[in-house]
Amino acid sequence: MHPVSKAEAVSAVQRSGPAALTRRGKGGMRRAEALAGMLCVAPWALGFLLFTGGPMLFSLVLSFTRWNLLSPPKWVGLSNFQTLFVKDPLVWHSLLVTTLYAVLAVPLAVALGLLLAVLLNQRIRFLSFFRMLFYLPSVVSGVPVALLWSWIFSPNVGLLDGLLGLVGIRGPAWLFDPHTVIIAFVIMSLWGVGGSMVIYLASLQGIPPHLLEAATIDGASAWRRLVHITVPLLTPIIFFNLVTGIIGALQMFVPAYVMTQGGPNNASLMFMLYLFENAFQYFRMGYASALAWVLFLYVAVLTFLLFRFSGRWVYYEGMLKSDN
Amino acid sequence: MEAHGYARPGGGGLWGRRPVQRAIGLSLTYAVLTVGGCIVLLPALWMLSTALKTSSQIFTVPIEWLPRPVVPGNFLTALRMIPFGTYFLNSTIVTVLATTGTVVSSSIVAYGFARLRWRGRNAVFYCVLATLMLPAHIMLIPKFILFRYLHWINTLLPLIVPLWFGTPFAIFLLRQFYTTIPLELDEAARIDGCSRLGVWWRVSVPLLQPALVTVALLSFHAHWNDLIDPLIYLHSNRLYTLSLGLLSFKGEYNTYWNYLMAASLVAMLPVLLVFYVIQKYFLKGIQLFAGLSG
């Protein structure tokens, strides 16, 4: 504890109670608070200047150039953006495909993660075992995952079609069918729901138990308590999973790169895959940078809208009121 | 009444107070968890089964779940094929230092965004989020140039140092958690004579324990499994991390799937162990809430 601030606070309270604490010396307190706030954020600002800001600016400049990585970049003005918006239909196609993937995958992941967390927040037998079990898939990564899913989705002989066959359904060709390839990726993405499940589990610990108890005594059903108490109190965390989920889904890359290479017939040409191909296969670094900044603006606008309308449904117990 | 912070089968539990409701609810829970558990366990079993096969058995159709013969020796062979100890040590150094940096720095930065008022706070916070939105691939080359300029290529530094300045994902997550703590707690502590640093350490950090261990877990997980950064910045074999080292099973002409699976399973264990330790924090609940209402 800081001796000076303690003495200050004590004398202020003695003089005229807690209310005076905020009125008296408001300017000085506000200034000290602002200073403390900026000091807290300073590490990030320093890190941004050192490691992130430069490379970001560099890529922005590159988006106005033509650069094949071998000869020096050549300034071409807005030509990349002209190609991108007017001449290259694959840009819009891949943006559409990626958006479709995000629209399907993100809400499902948000709901499934929450459901698992609520179920795994009870006092049941083998609790640690069940929690580990549902976290397990998100731990498996890299090459084994790609191989695994190629096997699960392989037409007719694969695991999924095998299971569907048991109930008499003739499964689709999944990764080889333009109509199902996105759905296959959505199913695959739900495998990694363990990460958001942990986040929900952590946030469930902050729900005051007396609220749930009071509602139970008043006769509220399990469903009503979930919808009217648990979910509203978790909205800041649901919001977090929604925003980071959308940012992540719109940058989805590895599965498309490893398993389909964008096929069949470009049906899974994710935006990041198209960007990657431009950058590291056709060596059009300038064009790829322009693509990156278009994706950046798209995600930024979506995120801004989410924040803008979050006031309507996200409940912050301890949000500072004045924003200046 | 007990003061636990998580839903219990009895009292204020998830399902209600009547024994019938509780029985139905719990049966439903077990049913969903068992069916779901079988589904998620299948891939792990498949990995295990592949790890125990000879190379000729791997791609048989239909799949042979219980390989004949079972070759548990694959695990030893796999760990001897690569300098497993060196890779494991490198991974441990990188992951522990990067995780510690992430938790310490991000919790302080997030506090500045969530609990203290200053001009431009929201604008700067959007900048933090914005760094998540520019695709990482496009930054690969500029970042490589930067680290080469710093003479950090072929050292572990690019994998550790930047994490000590706060990571956007962790900052955003912890900011959201801070906002779930009532402001009255901070104010009460301030009136009782606590400094701002004291409020952070004595009020926020204890209440945020579940969130902080979650950030630690997710960060540990991400750095343990990270492939891209080690691939780009580490060139000598003695610096390789485990995830990078596992690639050597995937040769140009031949992939040793059984050894790859065996080594991958061993490589997964530390993350699962950390998860096991961490999830115990999700049982205690936050007792402070008991005295707070009204």
Side-chain angles (χ1 to χ4, degrees), chain A residues 4-323:
Chain A
V4 177
S5 68
K6 181 175 182 178
E8 258 176 23
V10 169
S11 69
V13 173
Q14 279 168 349
R15 228 174 286 135
S16 39
L21 188 66
T22 44
R23 236 184 293 128
R24 191 192 135 272
K26 203 175 173 184
M29 296 264 300
R30 292 294 296 271
R31 228 173 297 135
E33 184 177 348
L35 189 68
M38 285 186 242
L39 268 177
C40 283
V41 175
W44 174 80
L46 192 65
F48 178 78
L49 291 177
L50 286 174
F51 301 115
T52 320
M56 276 179 92
L57 200 66
F58 186 78
S59 76
L60 182 62
V61 173
L62 276 184
S63 68
F64 299 100
T65 66
R66 192 168 294 149
W67 188 31
N68 62 5
L69 293 171
L70 299 171
S71 46
K74 187 170 154 248
W75 187 265
V76 292
L78 287 171
S79 149
N80 283 331
F81 291 94
Q82 201 185 353
T83 312
L84 195 157
F85 282 116
V86 185
K87 291 180 196 155
D88 188 350
L90 280 181
V91 173
W92 298 107
H93 173 76
S94 62
L95 211 53
L96 199 70
V97 169
T98 314
T99 306
L100 177 67
Y101 168 75
V103 165
L104 293 174
V106 177
L108 281 174
V110 166
L112 189 64
L114 184 58
L115 174 77
L116 279 176
V118 169
L119 287 180
L120 290 170
N121 195 43
Q122 307 174 70
R123 187 177 283 173
I124 54 171
R125 267 169 206 283
F126 312 118
L127 183 60
S128 301
F129 169 76
F130 275 124
R131 284 174 170 178
M132 297 236 310
L133 198 58
F134 284 96
Y135 191 69
L136 183 67
S138 69
V139 180
V140 189
S141 72
V143 186
V145 183
L147 184 73
L148 175 67
W149 283 97
S150 304
W151 163 62
I152 290 176
F153 285 130
S154 51
N156 304 321
V157 295
L159 177 69
L160 203 51
D161 280 1
L163 287 177
L164 287 174
L166 287 180
V167 288
I169 300 172
R170 195 161 180 266
W174 297 113
L175 298 172
F176 300 96
D177 182 340
H179 298 103
T180 51
V181 65
I182 294 295
I183 296 171
F185 281 137
V186 171
I187 295 173
M188 188 176 158
S189 76
L190 292 179
W191 224 249
V193 88
S196 64
M197 178 194 83
V198 185
I199 294 172
Y200 286 124
L201 266 177
S203 61
L204 280 169
Q205 311 314 311
I207 292 187
H210 54 82
L211 282 183
L212 293 168
E213 270 153 25
T216 315
I217 291 163
D218 288 349
S221 67
W223 175 251
R224 286 179 63 95
R225 270 174 288 142
L226 181 70
V227 172
H228 294 290
I229 297 175
T230 308
V231 169
L233 287 174
L234 292 192
T235 43
I237 309 305
I238 295 173
F239 180 66
F240 169 85
N241 277 322
L242 190 66
V243 171
T244 52
I246 287 173
I247 293 175
L250 291 175
Q251 295 186 35
M252 189 272 226
F253 171 68
V254 175
Y257 176 68
V258 178
M259 293 165 63
T260 63
Q261 297 280 332
N265 202 10
N266 286 334
S268 65
L269 185 70
M270 296 291 161
F271 195 85
M272 276 305 298
L273 180 64
Y274 190 52
L275 187 157
F276 184 87
E277 284 176 355
N278 271 291
F280 299 106
Q281 284 173 16
Y282 316 139
F283 298 109
R284 293 192 289 227
M285 211 49 181
Y287 190 58
S289 299
L291 285 173
W293 278 88
V294 167
L295 182 66
F296 173 82
L297 284 180
Y298 180 52
V299 180
V301 168
L302 278 182
T303 310
F304 182 75
L305 290 176
L306 282 173
F307 266 90
R308 208 51 215 274
F309 292 106
S310 69
R312 299 202 181 158
W313 64 276
V314 180
Y315 168 73
Y316 290 112
E317 169 79 32
M319 181 62 114
L320 294 168
K321 288 292 181 299
S322 89
D323 281 339

Side-chain angles (χ1 to χ4, degrees), chain A residues 33 44 121-123 125 128 131 135 138 148 202 206 209 213 222 225 236 251 272 285 316 318 323-324, chain B residues 1 4 6-8 13-15 29-30 46 115 117-119 121 132 137 141 165 176 179 214 221 279:
Chain A
E33 184 177 348
W44 174 80
N121 195 43
Q122 307 174 70
R123 187 177 283 173
R125 267 169 206 283
S128 301
R131 284 174 170 178
Y135 191 69
S138 69
L148 175 67
E213 270 153 25
R225 270 174 288 142
Q251 295 186 35
M272 276 305 298
M285 211 49 181
Y316 290 112
D323 281 339
N324 50 35
Chain B
M1 287 215 181
H4 291 291
Y6 70 107
R8 301 188 299 282
L14 189 57
W15 300 105
T29 302
Y30 283 117
W46 175 78
R115 299 309 250 199
R117 265 163 300 200
W118 45 284
R119 198 179 286 273
R121 179 164 65 101
L132 274 180
H137 290 94
I141 290 174
F165 295 88
Q176 296 303 93
T179 61
T214 301
H221 184 161
Q279 58 93 27

